[in-house]
Amino acid sequence: MRLLHTSDWHLGRSFHRVGMLGAQADFIGHLVATARERAVDAVVVSGDVYDRAVPPLAAVELFDDALHRLADLGVPTVMISGNHDSARRLGVGAGLIGRAGIHLRTDPAACGTPVMLSDAHGEVAFYGLPYLEPALVKDRFQVTKAAHETVLAAAMDQVRADLAARPPGTRSVVLAHAFVTGGEPSDSERDITVGGVAAVPAGVFDGVDYVALGHLHGCQTLTERVRYSGSPLPYSFSEARHRKSMWLVDLDADGAVTAERVDCPVPRPLARIRGRLEDLLADPALAVHEEAWVEATLTDPVRPADPMARLTTRFPHTLSLVFDPDRAPDDPGVSYARRLAGRADQEIAEDFVAHVRGAGPDEREQAVLRDAFDAVRADDAVKEVAR
């Protein structure tokens, strides 16, 4: 069986101030054309269909167009909700849409109920694990600890129990939206840390033939059977080195996996350039970036006059301008943002405690801070679901 694995469409999202809806429509056309030309048997979409719980109308219309085109093609599609989606909204009409071969899996209660598809070698069970917010689903899965690994392990126990009851030789595919250990994140993914931990081990998914992951925006192979497709388009300059693609996956009669990357159309390349303004304007090696979307980091000791206007004379698609003067890290002139770069909320809070009273928090106090951050994040998730 041949699968086309994609995820993280983020319909409705912009790239800095550039609207991406046209590029997203081009991607949908590319997806449908690839499914047709490469004789795909099923399309799997591993979450974050939309960029937010209540997407703009134009994004909903594009999603509707994608559903109609996939249904007209006659290629079964299985998709799950991600942490950016409203599971309840995305799942509206799932029963009716399923009759057209588009199978929406947004209800955590259905993790152990697969979509069954067949090929010449028998049946393949597709299990959709939507994004499982630990604080919202721990009671449903009857686990005592609200943690990503705990709830995903409980969901996978349901998957393995269902699979064990099926005829020998039934192959299996799991769709999941999670941060799995070994994956490389970028700046454009929403933080899903709970209890100071965001990642779950790949071993949680043992016992199935292929795991189609979503959430991280870079295409990655964690094992031959566990892969991220990544987002089809870039959504931050941290993705400048990404090769945007989908996975074309073949499952043979025994469930062995072979996979090929299929590149996605990207409207412009991304470039991150750094240096003093006059050097950036004169360096001939940077000519290759003149038509790219550019993030420029200026290192001039003193902020130059009209930097954006001058940069755009050479790099007309400059979207982000960052000032990072060449100074020692302990220089009092170093910006607050630079000092905090790469630090988690918990670390910043602990540093604040140490600054105020002269000593950092002990283990009990660290736990209090961690619980407070988790409570705020869980409350935000509950409010978003209720919107």
Side-chain angles (χ1 to χ4, degrees):
M1 181 168 285
R2 173 164 286 183
L3 319 174
L4 190 59
H5 167 199
T6 178
S7 72
D8 295 274
W9 296 356
H10 289 278
L11 300 182
R13 186 165 183 164
S14 297
F15 182 73
H16 289 262
R17 63 179 180 271
V18 177
M20 296 291 276
L21 205 64
Q24 290 169 340
D26 289 342
F27 162 69
I28 296 299
H30 172 68
L31 170 72
V32 172
T34 301
R36 180 179 59 250
E37 294 164 7
R38 301 300 297 269
V40 167
D41 297 305
V43 173
V44 296
V45 186
S46 299
D48 282 353
V49 174
Y50 292 122
D51 188 55
R52 57 181 187 262
V54 184
L57 179 58
V60 177
E61 290 173 339
L62 181 54
F63 179 58
D64 181 65
D65 178 63
L67 295 184
H68 278 86
R69 294 173 72 177
L70 288 166
D72 289 345
L73 197 61
V75 176
T77 300
V78 184
M79 60 177 63
I80 61 173
S81 50
N83 62 299
H84 280 251
D85 299 309
S86 165
R88 290 163 67 180
R89 281 186 171 82
L90 188 64
V92 169
L96 288 173
I97 296 171
R99 298 180 187 178
I102 310 293
H103 305 279
L104 301 174
R105 289 294 184 264
T106 64
D107 184 356
C111 287
T113 304
V115 175
M116 300 302 299
L117 301 177
S118 300
D119 64 6
H121 304 294
E123 290 192 319
V124 181
F126 289 77
Y127 297 91
L129 278 56
Y131 173 67
L132 302 174
E133 173 60 47
L136 301 183
V137 302
K138 76 178 187 69
D139 293 337
R140 182 185 296 275
F141 287 109
Q142 298 181 334
V143 296
T144 56
K145 184 179 180 182
H148 289 295
E149 181 176 356
T150 306
V151 296
L152 268 172
M156 282 302 301
D157 285 344
Q158 294 184 8
V159 168
R160 284 184 283 264
D162 180 85
L163 190 58
R166 295 190 178 273
T170 300
R171 290 159 292 162
S172 54
V173 175
V174 165
L175 291 71
H177 196 87
F179 185 176
V180 178
T181 303
E184 182 178 341
S186 62
D187 293 342
S188 51
E189 299 116 8
R190 184 180 294 169
D191 182 28
I192 59 171
T193 301
V194 174
V197 178
V200 300
V204 165
F205 300 103
D206 285 351
V208 296
D209 294 309
Y210 184 70
V211 181
L213 293 174
H215 181 57
L216 300 186
H217 288 184
C219 183
Q220 303 171 59
T221 301
L222 304 187
T223 74
E224 285 305 303
R225 296 183 182 276
V226 181
R227 299 171 187 261
Y228 281 101
S229 67
S231 61
L233 292 165
Y235 294 114
S236 74
F237 277 102
S238 65
E239 301 171 52
R241 295 186 178 181
H242 288 186
R243 173 187 161 195
K244 295 302 182 182
S245 57
M246 303 177 286
W247 284 113
L248 191 68
V249 177
D250 286 308
L251 280 182
D252 72 9
D254 298 319
V257 171
T258 56
E260 170 191 348
R261 288 179 73 174
V262 178
D263 289 337
C264 295
V266 176
R268 288 186 187 277
L270 307 186
R272 298 179 111 170
I273 60 177
R274 179 184 178 90
R276 299 193 176 195
L277 178 59
E278 295 300 334
D279 294 337
L280 297 182
L281 294 175
D283 188 350
L286 298 180
V288 67
H289 301 314
E290 289 176 358
E291 294 304 314
W293 280 323
V294 168
E295 178 187 74
T297 300
L298 301 185
T299 61
D300 302 71
V302 177
R303 183 179 298 220
D306 299 321
M308 180 63 89
R310 294 168 67 189
L311 274 169
T312 54
T313 61
R314 184 180 187 190
F315 307 102
H317 305 288
T318 301
L319 299 181
S320 176
L321 185 58
V322 180
F323 294 97
D324 188 13
D326 286 329
R327 292 171 175 162
D330 56 354
D331 189 311
V334 173
S335 72
Y336 182 68
R338 183 178 173 187
R339 293 198 301 272
L340 297 186
R343 299 184 67 76
D345 290 344
Q346 176 93 14
E347 294 174 307
I348 295 169
E350 290 176 6
D351 286 349
F352 176 75
V353 172
H355 173 75
V356 168
R357 74 178 187 195
D362 58 26
E363 289 186 6
R364 183 185 63 81
E365 292 167 330
Q366 288 175 348
V368 169
L369 287 171
R370 187 162 50 247
D371 290 345
F373 281 118
D374 287 350
V376 170
R377 215 183 54 79
D379 185 59
D380 287 344
V382 170
K383 289 177 180 176
E384 188 151 311
V385 168
R387 289 175 67 190

